[in-house]
Amino acid sequence: MDPTPEPARTDYRALALQTRTEAVNGLSPGEARDAMAASIARIGAEVAAARRWVGPDLRLVVLPEYVLSGFPMGEPVERWRDMAALAPDGPEYSALAAVAAREGLFLSGNAYESDPHFPELYFQASFVIDPAGAVVLRYRRLHSLYSPTPYDVWDRYLDAYGMDAVLPVARTEIGALACIASEEILYPELARALALRGAEVFCHSTSEVTSPALTPKEIGRRARAVENLAYVVSANSGGLHGIPIPGDSTSGGSKVVDYEGRVLAEAGGGESIVAAAEIDLAALRRNRARPGMGNLPSRVKPALWAAEYARHDVERPNGLDGRAPDRAWFTERQRDSIDRLAGPR
């Protein structure tokens, strides 16, 4: 008689790897590519060490926002695309995939990314790579003050990819994963839409100022977890180097938050593997199936809010039409949105 197969495990460890960011601002495109390759090699060694430290049940590692490059500081879109944007089939993704495959875990992170459908632009992308080295999720950030987003080329983007690619959820052996980039943790609509699509664990790559006092993003992490009965694995930078901003301005506070808003683990300042904790999918799923006042997702009224949102004209889609914007374009777009918000209701 064949033995009864062991049931799939629904618990594992997740790590928000708080590693430093080496900015590529001021480098030539070739130098920038070399610097990003060096960062991937360093991160790969840190992931390997973290797996030995945390244990073999480490199945998910989340990296900070734009961890390979830092962020543009006045560079034109064309220059930043050429020096810092990863090609979806490029060597940087191949190197990251090799890390995930070698360590047998899911690797989530965030980078600037080029796109052959939009050669004049770049997008900021969050990703999940599985233990086989395949990119199983690619999410392009939708809210950004000074960078292009899919919403700026909305009709063309939907024609190329469809709505499921705009709000992707990856159903994996470690649960349904979704990505939220940095300040997007402050937009409840995004997390709610991903949760309605089944997301159980939000991979939150961020690079932010931390403080002993509650910051807006810290409130957002806990609120998004409670509102959606979801885990949040949030990785902040372990210092930002290579630009004039003081390095520890974005350091500390990486954490794992459970579906009731409890902080399970949190890192202090500097590079750290302290923000590691257990993800218990069985407990999360029991709570999502449990009637009661605390089951907020089951009490959502999408039709009500769809009708109300449709009444309002704020940031408009399709603002970019085959051209690379300068910083003044983004500033004027926000001013136009503020004017419309101030107008008649």
Side-chain angles (χ1 to χ4, degrees), residues 64-282:
E65 182 188 19
Y66 45 64
V67 66
L68 302 182
S69 64
F71 58 92
M73 297 185 67
E75 290 88 351
V77 166
E78 301 95 325
R79 177 167 175 77
W80 193 254
R81 179 196 61 217
D82 292 343
M83 66 186 294
L86 280 55
D89 59 352
E92 295 88 3
Y93 274 120
S94 295
L96 290 165
V99 173
R102 184 184 68 235
E103 302 305 328
L105 47 71
F106 289 81
L107 183 66
S108 179
N110 177 275
Y112 293 96
E113 191 174 85
S114 61
D115 187 318
H117 293 285
F118 304 92
E120 72 279 11
L121 302 176
Y122 62 77
F123 300 109
Q124 192 180 350
S126 294
F127 58 83
V128 176
I129 302 172
D130 73 8
V135 177
V136 295
L137 185 148
R138 172 172 280 111
Y139 163 73
R140 264 73 178 271
R141 179 173 171 171
L142 293 167
H143 304 84
S144 183
L145 188 56
Y146 291 116
S147 289
T149 76
Y151 197 65
D152 298 322
V153 287
W154 189 234
D155 292 340
R156 291 168 58 200
Y157 200 90
L158 290 179
D159 287 344
Y161 293 110
M163 194 64 188
D164 287 343
V166 174
L167 297 168
V169 174
R171 285 165 173 78
T172 75
E173 64 202 70
I174 63 166
L177 308 180
C179 289
I180 297 174
S182 189
E183 69 162 348
E184 290 194 307
I185 202 72
L186 301 176
Y187 291 86
E189 302 91 344
L190 174 61
R192 177 54 52 79
L194 294 168
L196 289 173
R197 286 172 169 256
E200 297 172 311
V201 180
F202 294 135
C203 301
H204 180 229
S205 296
T206 188
S207 185
E208 64 184 70
V209 174
T210 53
S211 167
L214 281 176
T215 64
K217 287 185 183 179
E218 179 58 24
I219 293 168
R221 274 183 284 272
R222 301 184 195 186
R224 302 298 86 81
V226 170
E227 291 165 353
N228 298 294
L229 290 178
Y231 283 94
V232 178
V233 184
S234 179
N236 192 24
S237 304
L240 179 59
H241 304 282
I243 58 175
I245 295 173
D248 285 338
S249 297
T250 62
S251 180
S254 297
K255 58 177 56 66
V256 180
V257 183
D258 79 359
Y259 51 87
E260 292 185 335
R262 294 174 294 210
V263 175
L264 303 180
E266 181 173 5
E271 296 189 282
S272 176
I273 58 171
V274 168
E278 184 178 67
I279 303 294
D280 188 343
L281 294 175

Side-chain angles (χ1 to χ4, degrees), residues 328-341:
W329 182 87
F330 293 106
T331 301
E332 188 60 32
R333 176 185 62 176
Q334 187 179 30
R335 287 190 179 125
D336 289 344
S337 296
I338 291 170
D339 288 344
R340 283 192 289 274
L341 280 169

